[in-house]
Amino acid sequence: MPCDARELLSGSRREAYALVSPFRGAFFTCLARRRDELFELTDAVPCAAGPVKSPVDPTLLAEHRRGHGALYGGLDRGDIDVERLRRLPAGLPLSQFDGGRLVLAVDVSPRLSPDGPRSAQRSFCHVYGRAKDDAQVIPGWPYSLVAALEPGATSWAAVLDGVRLGPADDATAVYRGSSDHLLPLLSVT
């Protein structure tokens, strides 16, 4: 039985669509060259049944209508306007605490890559708790993240900015740059 479009866009689904649709349009404008392929690839990733372990995985989904050649062309020759993309999450509605306060959290979190010891700009990340009473230093990339927290007992957070730290970067200086970039963009309504 075919689904009625009015049924799909009723109540909370309509509200979600109203929020996501402009975001998707703004994201599309952040893509420069090969934007159609990059956008379709981005659309397909959340539709995967599990983790996406290879760039080819999303091309096997129905949401990705192009072939492997388009994927590799998009990854090789595609381009993203990074500054425009960095401004995008700050324009979304953010949860507020009592009195309309916006609470931001800052953290430096590693993205470990033990199998990539020769990757460009790779650092060594100090990691605790991977084994009993053992702290390890594992190859990877530390990221400085700024997130808006949600009130209540929830683990949800809206990541507003993420910057990969290089071996010579100072985490405090990178955070200062992120906050200087973000604060003018945040508008609590």
Side-chain angles (χ1 to χ4, degrees), residues 5 12 15 53 64-65 70 86-87 90 104 148 154 157 163 166 176:
S12 62
E15 293 170 16
K53 296 181 180 179
H64 189 277
R65 298 170 295 180
R86 282 186 74 194
R87 290 190 301 268
L104 300 178
T154 179
V163 177
R176 193 173 306 122

Side-chain angles (χ1 to χ4, degrees), residues 75-166:
L75 293 177
D76 183 43
R77 293 198 174 22
D79 196 18
I80 299 174
D81 183 345
V82 176
E83 284 308 310
R84 179 180 266 179
L85 182 62
R86 282 186 74 194
R87 290 190 301 268
L88 194 55
L92 295 172
L94 301 171
S95 296
Q96 300 172 21
F97 284 73
D98 294 334
R101 292 179 304 123
L102 184 64
V103 177
L104 300 178
V106 180
D107 187 28
V108 174
S109 297
R111 178 182 179 304
L112 302 178
S113 181
D115 297 331
R118 291 179 183 85
S119 299
Q121 293 295 310
R122 176 229 352 117
S123 296
F124 287 100
C125 303
H126 196 109
V127 180
Y128 293 98
R130 290 181 60 90
K132 185 177 178 178
D133 299 327
D134 189 22
Q136 296 177 325
V137 178
I138 299 176
W141 298 271
Y143 282 84
S144 173
L145 303 170
V146 180
L149 302 180
E150 295 214 359
T154 179
S155 61
W156 287 100
V159 177
L160 300 174
D161 197 26
V163 177
R164 187 170 86 183
L165 301 175

Side-chain angles (χ1 to χ4, degrees), residues 29-86:
T29 65
C30 294
L31 304 174
R33 291 180 305 202
R34 306 280 177 125
R35 68 171 43 174
D36 290 331
E37 169 53 28
L38 292 173
F39 188 76
E40 199 166 293
L41 180 63
T42 306
D43 250 2
V45 168
C47 299
V52 175
K53 296 181 180 179
S54 162
V56 177
D57 290 351
T59 65
L60 303 174
L61 300 171
E63 289 78 10
H64 189 277
R65 298 170 295 180
R66 300 167 193 269
H68 290 76
L71 161 78
Y72 289 117
L75 293 177
D76 183 43
R77 293 198 174 22
D79 196 18
I80 299 174
D81 183 345
V82 176
E83 284 308 310
R84 179 180 266 179
L85 182 62
R86 282 186 74 194

Side-chain angles (χ1 to χ4, degrees), residues 17-31:
Y17 181 79
L19 177 64
V20 170
S21 185
F23 177 81
R24 291 180 78 229
F27 174 70
F28 187 76
T29 65
C30 294
L31 304 174

